[in-house]
């Protein structure tokens, strides 16, 4: 299958039919009854790479795989509509992927200590790592608030954390601040819960893994 197979519906349907057939594109053309693979390969590749080509090729594929005929017709129509509307399937796929990331990601507050690496790293890992010691989960009633109201409520969670740990960030020394982490940006707070700045870049804390052998 060409590495350049497009994301147009008809390209994906044809690619799947060829893949399920067990043939290479050239072998698939021969299996459809062509005397020479070269004659039909250019058009198959055009459908795979551009979502367009000779309509007779679609008819031949439908005859070879009659169970896929309706799916092929629908994919041709959907692809034609996308092209007529100037819709780029790459952009649609990127937007879909971003939506999935947003749906999966849950904002949280990250507590920061004066140390970059935890002391007693093994103990830190086996007792829960960042999830247990530096992450403050945001309650649903706060998470659903507008951003401005979230920023006003989050310092309450930070104050509770600071009191619970006596001004420290376990395994990281003295508590020096908090980050309200979202998918593509974060808000920096000081250790007293005062908002300092909005940083438009992703934040991901490190991971700690412990293996017992």
């Amino acid at each position: 299958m060409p590495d350049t197979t497009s994301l147009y519906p008809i390209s994906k349907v044809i690619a799947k039919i060829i893949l399920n057939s067990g043939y290479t594109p050239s072998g698939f053309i021969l299996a459809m009854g062509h005397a020479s693979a070269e004659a039909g390969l250019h058009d198959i590749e055009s459908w795979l790479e551009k979502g367009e080509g000779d309509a007779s090729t679609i008819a031949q594929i439908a005859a070879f795989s009659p169970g896929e005929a309706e799916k092929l017709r629908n994919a041709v129509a959907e692809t034609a509509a996308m092209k007529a509307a100037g819709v780029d399937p790459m952009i649609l796929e990127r937007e879909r992927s971003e939506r999935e990331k947003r749906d999966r990601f849950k904002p949280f507050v990250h507590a920061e200590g004066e140390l970059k690496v935890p002391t007693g790293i093994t103990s830190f890992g086996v007792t829960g790592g960042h999830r247990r010691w530096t992450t403050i989960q945001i309650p649903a009633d706060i998470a659903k608030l507008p951003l401005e109201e979230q920023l006003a409520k989050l310092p309450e969670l930070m104050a509770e954390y600071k009191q619970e740990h006596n001004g420290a960030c376990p395994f990281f020394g003295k508590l020096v601040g908090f980050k309200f982490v979202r998918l593509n940006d974060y808000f920096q707070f000081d250790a007293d819960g005062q908002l300092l700045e909005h940083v438009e870049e992703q934040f991901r804390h490190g991971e700690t893994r412990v293996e017992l052998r």
Side-chain angles (χ1 to χ4, degrees):
M1 211 68 58
D3 293 335
T4 54
T5 297
S6 79
L7 295 178
Y8 283 112
I10 188 57
S11 302
K12 293 193 290 186
V13 170
I14 292 175
K16 186 174 181 180
I17 290 173
I18 295 175
L19 180 64
N20 290 342
S21 75
Y23 293 108
T24 63
S26 296
F28 184 76
I29 292 168
L30 294 175
M32 286 196 299
H34 286 267
S36 169
E38 184 177 354
L41 185 59
H42 174 75
D43 201 54
I44 282 281
E45 290 182 342
S46 178
W47 280 108
L48 289 171
E49 297 173 9
K50 303 175 185 177
E52 58 187 46
D54 191 335
S56 65
T57 300
I58 301 300
Q60 292 170 341
I61 297 173
F64 181 80
S65 303
E68 304 291 341
E70 183 177 0
K71 188 178 294 184
L72 282 163
R73 287 194 296 271
N74 292 339
V76 168
E78 187 178 351
T79 298
M82 291 174 67
K83 286 178 173 287
V87 176
D88 187 337
M90 289 292 291
I91 294 177
L92 288 181
E93 177 63 19
R94 186 161 57 246
E95 291 175 347
R96 182 196 62 78
S97 178
E98 285 298 318
R99 284 196 300 273
E100 288 185 351
K101 288 179 182 178
R102 286 195 297 270
D103 290 343
R104 289 195 303 265
F105 186 85
K106 294 184 178 180
F108 62 93
V109 173
H110 171 69
E112 299 180 293
E114 59 187 339
L115 303 177
K116 299 301 182 183
V117 178
T119 58
I121 191 167
T122 300
S123 296
F124 173 71
V126 299
T127 57
H130 282 290
R131 180 177 294 275
R132 167 66 179 84
W133 298 109
T134 69
T135 300
I136 304 173
Q137 300 294 342
I138 300 175
D141 61 334
I142 295 179
K144 67 182 181 182
L145 294 173
L147 177 59
E148 185 175 343
E149 295 181 35
Q150 289 185 53
L151 294 174
K153 294 288 290 183
L154 291 176
E156 297 176 11
L157 303 180
M158 300 172 190
E160 292 174 5
Y161 179 97
K162 184 175 182 179
Q163 181 177 4
E164 178 184 357
H165 298 292
N166 297 313
C169 181
F171 296 96
F172 290 90
K174 180 182 178 181
L175 179 67
V176 296
F178 299 93
K179 284 181 169 66
F180 169 37
V181 181
R182 306 197 304 171
L183 180 61
N184 294 315
D185 62 351
Y186 64 88
F187 290 85
Q188 182 70 52
F189 292 77
D190 66 16
D192 295 320
Q194 295 295 314
L195 178 60
L196 300 177
E197 62 177 331
H198 175 213
V199 180
E200 296 188 24
E201 62 183 42
Q202 288 187 334
F203 168 78
R204 296 289 184 271
H205 54 55
E207 295 184 1
T208 301
R209 298 181 181 178
V210 177
E211 295 184 5
L212 300 178
R213 298 182 179 180

